[in-house]
Amino acid sequence: MKSIKLLLCLLAMLCPLIGQSQSKLKVATRVVEPFVMQDGSRLKGFSVDLWKAITDKMGVQSEFVMEPTVVGLLDAVKTHKAEVGISAISISAERDKDFDFSQPMFDSGLQIMVRDQQSGSEVGQIWDRIVASGIFRWLAVIFVIGIIPAHIVWLVEHRSDRCLLQHKKYWPGIFEAYWWSLSCLATQAEEMPKSGWGRAVAVFWMFTAVVFIAFFTAQVTASVTVEQLHGSISSADDLPGKKVATTSGSTAATYLREHHAKVTEVSTIDAAADSLENGDVDAVVFDAPVLQYFVANQGKNRFRTVGEIFQKEYYGIVFMPNSPYRKPIETALLSLKEDGTYQEIYDKWFSSKS
Ligand code: GLU
């Protein structure tokens, strides 16, 4: 009897808690700054503020379900892990086959982000590429190898009277012979060895020099050409064939594949920016407001956006078809637009001072 009473007491204590957690609307989201941002254990951002205003208007409580990618977010809604999804979700015809969307909650579109190369002039950039191509290592190697023909020439020449060298002793003689060896390399030698062996070495060394000069010229030309190719992304027309990073499953990834870019899909914009900084990709393509925010904050002086917004998109709140939540959420969103709350939230996150 006592234990039944205890059980009833326990149930009475738990019931409100169970009731409360059941009444909480589950909303799937993912971090896409400045729409959803993690601030310790709290979330903030445009979409977070808008969602709070919507739920306040509806008088309901909700809890966020965090997902790592937009595909994960949509799956959470599809598998009923969450009733609603909000973040920076683009409304697309493809997604509309499986989901319902609210009225557009934000005007967006795609844009391109590249490395900020303002720091150097064009000549400076070409120079950097020549240095990066490793050509100076080869130059160092050939300068060291040049010591060998210098020695052979000194050995075979220094004994005879009619010879290339004015100094017969080792150190001054070898310096003279090395000067000859380097002049040959630049095809500028004024005099040639006089002995038979000396001439044989000269022919071999001159041939090596011609091959090296051809190789050197090819490397420098390639560096300049690559710079022109890499540096030429300034609009969406330049994207086909280029290596571009974006987030997995995004509408940007679909656009890039359709336009024959070589797409690298990563989970965050930070990871995409890292690939861009390392030179693994030539550009990042993603939602314009996200890139503009990134360029003004974490990516300041390292990245910049180029070109116009080239693919208009709208963000929406996502539901399963025939969701009972759609109508009240839609009504709340419309009244927030009418009473100025939407504008306040917009200004908080996107006014020029932020
Ligand atoms: N607007 C993008 C999309 O829906 C965001 C993608 C993302 O969250 O990574 O596809």
Side-chain angles (χ1 to χ4, degrees):
M1 194 62 192
K2 224 178 182 184
S3 61
I4 291 173
K5 260 189 184 165
L6 202 74
L7 201 72
L8 283 174
C9 266
L10 217 78
L11 272 176
M13 272 160 68
L14 281 175
C15 267
L17 283 178
I18 295 168
Q20 199 183 34
S21 78
Q22 271 174 352
S23 71
K24 274 192 180 172
L25 193 60
K26 291 214 179 60
V27 52
T29 192
R30 100 173 199 95
V31 173
V32 179
E33 298 186 3
F35 293 90
V36 180
M37 302 155 90
Q38 203 110 38
D39 183 12
S41 59
R42 278 182 56 246
L43 290 180
K44 59 179 191 177
F46 173 84
S47 301
V48 174
D49 283 354
L50 185 65
W51 177 251
K52 280 187 185 144
I54 290 172
T55 49
D56 283 352
K57 222 174 209 95
M58 289 165 64
V60 295
Q61 289 200 316
S62 72
E63 64 182 329
F64 287 108
V65 176
M66 298 307 291
E67 292 295 336
T69 60
V70 68
V71 179
L73 195 166
L74 294 171
D75 272 353
V77 176
K78 201 176 210 165
T79 56
H80 303 286
K81 209 166 131 189
E83 284 90 22
V84 183
I86 191 170
S87 173
I89 311 162
S90 303
I91 303 172
S92 73
E94 188 57 37
R95 290 172 182 170
D96 199 54
K97 288 180 192 157
D98 298 323
F99 299 95
D100 268 1
F101 284 95
S102 68
Q103 296 255 344
M105 62 171 225
F106 198 89
D107 285 12
S108 184
L110 301 183
Q111 210 175 10
I112 304 169
M113 180 173 84
V114 293
R115 278 180 294 262
D116 191 359
Q117 291 169 334
Q118 279 167 357
S119 45
S121 63
E122 206 168 311
V123 176
Q125 288 162 31
I126 293 172
W127 176 253
D128 289 348
R129 282 215 164 258
I130 293 173
V131 173
S133 72
I135 192 71
F136 288 107
R137 264 198 307 262
W138 285 105
L139 207 60
V141 168
I142 202 87
F143 271 35
V144 172
I145 293 175
I147 296 172
I148 300 169
H151 272 82
I152 301 174
V153 163
W154 178 79
L155 267 176
V156 296
E157 290 273 300
H158 83 287
R159 284 200 197 96
S160 66
D161 292 335
R162 239 185 102 250
C163 80
L164 169 75
L165 311 169
Q166 282 170 7
H167 302 91
K168 309 281 166 166
K169 285 208 178 107
Y170 178 76
W171 282 113
I174 206 72
F175 271 120
E176 243 183 293
Y178 188 50
W179 172 247
W180 167 82
S181 161
L182 295 186
S183 311
C184 260
L185 209 55
T187 65
Q188 296 295 324
E190 285 166 5
E191 273 194 83
M192 282 295 150
K194 306 288 183 287
S195 66
W197 278 112
R199 285 188 168 160
V201 171
V203 169
F204 175 77
W205 186 236
M206 282 189 297
F207 185 71
T208 312
V210 168
V211 172
F212 180 75
I213 291 293
F215 173 72
F216 189 86
T217 313
Q219 284 289 328
V220 172
T221 314
S223 306
V224 175
T225 316
V226 166
E227 180 55 41
Q228 277 165 359
L229 287 176
H230 279 245
S232 63
I233 300 182
S234 55
S235 76
D237 294 343
D238 303 323
L239 292 172
K242 297 283 160 55
K243 289 189 266 173
V244 186
T246 192
T247 66
S248 18
S250 59
T251 46
T254 311
Y255 175 93
L256 289 167
R257 268 194 302 274
E258 280 170 1
H259 290 79
H260 312 291
K262 295 176 192 143
V263 194
T264 303
E265 292 184 41
V266 290
S267 61
T268 62
I269 276 303
D270 288 283
D274 285 347
S275 325
L276 183 57
E277 195 149 54
N278 299 338
D280 298 338
V281 296
D282 307 315
V284 170
V285 167
F286 197 61
D287 304 20
V290 178
L291 292 183
Q292 283 164 15
Y293 183 84
F294 185 80
V295 158
N297 294 280
Q298 301 103 293
K300 203 171 187 160
N301 300 328
R302 293 191 293 140
F303 306 100
R304 69 193 158 97
T305 52
V306 287
E308 302 288 307
I309 295 176
F310 55 88
Q311 170 97 336
K312 198 104 195 71
E313 289 188 348
Y314 300 95
Y315 295 157
I317 302 171
V318 67
F319 311 87
M320 276 314 279
N322 306 319
S323 163
Y325 299 102
R326 182 176 165 181
K327 189 84 190 139
I329 288 175
E330 196 105 274
T331 310
L333 178 60
L334 283 174
S335 59
L336 290 175
K337 283 188 178 175
E338 282 165 14
D339 70 14
T341 316
Y342 178 94
Q343 194 58 43
E344 265 172 37
I345 299 173
Y346 184 94
D347 291 343
K348 175 176 166 192
W349 293 100
F350 297 101
S351 69
S352 51
K353 67 178 167 23
S354 68

